[in-house]
Amino acid sequence: MKMLMAANWKMFKTREEAADCARGIENRLAGLPADREAVLFAPFTALAACAGALGPGARLRLGGQNCYPAAEGAFTGEISPGMLLDCACSHVLVGHSERRALLGESDAFVGKKCAFALNAGLNATLCIGETLKERDGGMLRPVLERQLAEGLSEVPDDVTSERLCIAYEPVWAIGTGRVAGTAEILEAHALVRAFLRKRFTARGNAMRILYGGSVKPDNAEQIINLDNVDGVLVGGASLQAETFARIALAGVSD
Ligand code: 13P
């Protein structure tokens, strides 16, 4: 299983800034080991510029931060998986907690996107995570299991393990500088792994589970060395090429 080191730029960067930063990351990824992949989830408006800056053989792959579960149609403001493929994307995020909280995306809707994106040919990363209130209320397990069950409900049983990732991002750790503790990460990731095994049998063992939430160059190596952590999804610290590249190369000696 290759580790997946992913950048989520959220709603940041003009086309020019994005092209510069994507190029800057790519230039620093020459030493990325063969057992790691790097993906950049850029804003829709910057995808074509990033694709142009990176060129065809780049190490850094591209992804959209969201998609709509239809091929085309009267869905004002939305973007289809086919449009992402057309912008050289191979990946897409679904169910980010910011979209769940700010835009009211339901588990069921996220599940439709996940299955539709996979069927359209994109690799999907399903984001899940509990709020602090849910965690403090002892709801970690039921919340994660509900998000997984509904988020994966329409995904074909025989999906290949490389094409589906889960990103565990505790909402209270996103953009707060408060990274989840080792025990908290281990507990949540073990729970996700058990769910994936049950849902996809042996293939569930090989699906990647990413951690996201205040990942920085100085904590990345420790996080990716934890059991059942198969990569990271980085927000704020991915906005500078040098910082993200240090995370992507965490623990790689030069
Ligand atoms: P931060 O790394 O800024 O905490 O964001 C995490 C995140 O939401 C990635 O999707």
Side-chain angles (χ1 to χ4, degrees):
M1 181 199 306
K2 291 189 182 187
M3 204 158 264
L4 184 64
M5 314 304 277
N8 174 11
W9 280 353
K10 308 191 180 185
M11 199 176 73
F12 287 95
K13 296 195 187 293
T14 62
R15 288 175 300 160
E16 194 181 334
E17 290 164 351
D20 280 352
C21 191
R23 213 179 285 113
I25 294 172
E26 177 68 16
N27 289 342
R28 290 170 170 84
L29 291 186
L32 193 72
D35 61 356
R36 286 193 195 181
E37 292 180 336
V39 177
L40 166 60
F41 295 99
F44 296 140
T45 48
L47 286 170
C50 289
L54 291 169
R59 298 293 311 260
L60 187 61
R61 314 281 300 281
L62 279 178
Q65 298 172 10
N66 177 41
C67 66
Y68 191 81
E72 59 184 7
F75 304 107
T76 301
E78 294 297 318
I79 300 281
S80 72
M83 290 167 172
L84 293 177
L85 289 163
D86 187 45
C87 285
C89 288
S90 47
H91 291 70
V92 69
L93 288 181
V94 295
H96 194 281
S97 63
E98 286 150 12
R99 299 194 59 83
R100 292 177 189 263
L102 300 170
L103 298 158
E105 289 195 3
S106 67
D107 291 314
F109 188 47
V110 170
K112 289 207 178 318
K113 292 180 190 216
C114 190
F116 198 91
L118 284 166
N119 288 333
L122 288 168
N123 300 323
T125 295
L126 168 68
C127 304
I128 60 167
E130 81 290 0
T131 62
L132 196 53
K133 194 165 164 225
E134 288 164 337
R135 169 171 280 272
D136 288 346
M139 297 293 286
L140 176 72
R141 174 183 290 271
V143 167
L144 296 191
E145 288 186 346
R146 187 200 71 227
Q147 291 176 339
L148 287 165
E150 295 201 31
L152 301 174
S153 64
E154 296 182 30
V155 170
D157 292 341
D158 62 351
V159 65
T160 50
S161 53
E162 315 83 64
R163 300 198 52 226
L164 176 65
C165 284
I166 306 298
Y168 169 63
E169 302 200 297
V171 176
W172 46 272
I174 294 178
T176 58
R178 179 180 164 190
V179 69
T182 299
E184 291 162 329
I185 298 176
L186 286 171
E187 180 190 12
H189 281 237
L191 200 155
V192 175
R193 178 68 69 208
F195 187 98
L196 292 176
R197 263 196 221 117
K198 214 157 133 196
R199 174 72 171 78
F200 299 106
T201 61
R203 273 191 320 284
N205 273 328
M207 285 171 183
R208 288 170 292 195
I209 308 172
L210 316 183
Y211 170 79
S214 298
V215 177
K216 305 277 183 273
D218 61 4
N219 59 25
E221 183 178 358
Q222 193 202 339
I223 292 171
I224 59 174
N225 282 331
L226 296 174
D227 270 359
N228 289 313
V229 176
D230 311 305
V232 285
L233 181 55
V234 187
S238 72
L239 292 167
Q240 277 91 39
E242 208 245 321
T243 314
F244 178 67
R246 279 172 61 205
I247 294 172
L249 295 167
V252 177
S253 49
D254 36 22

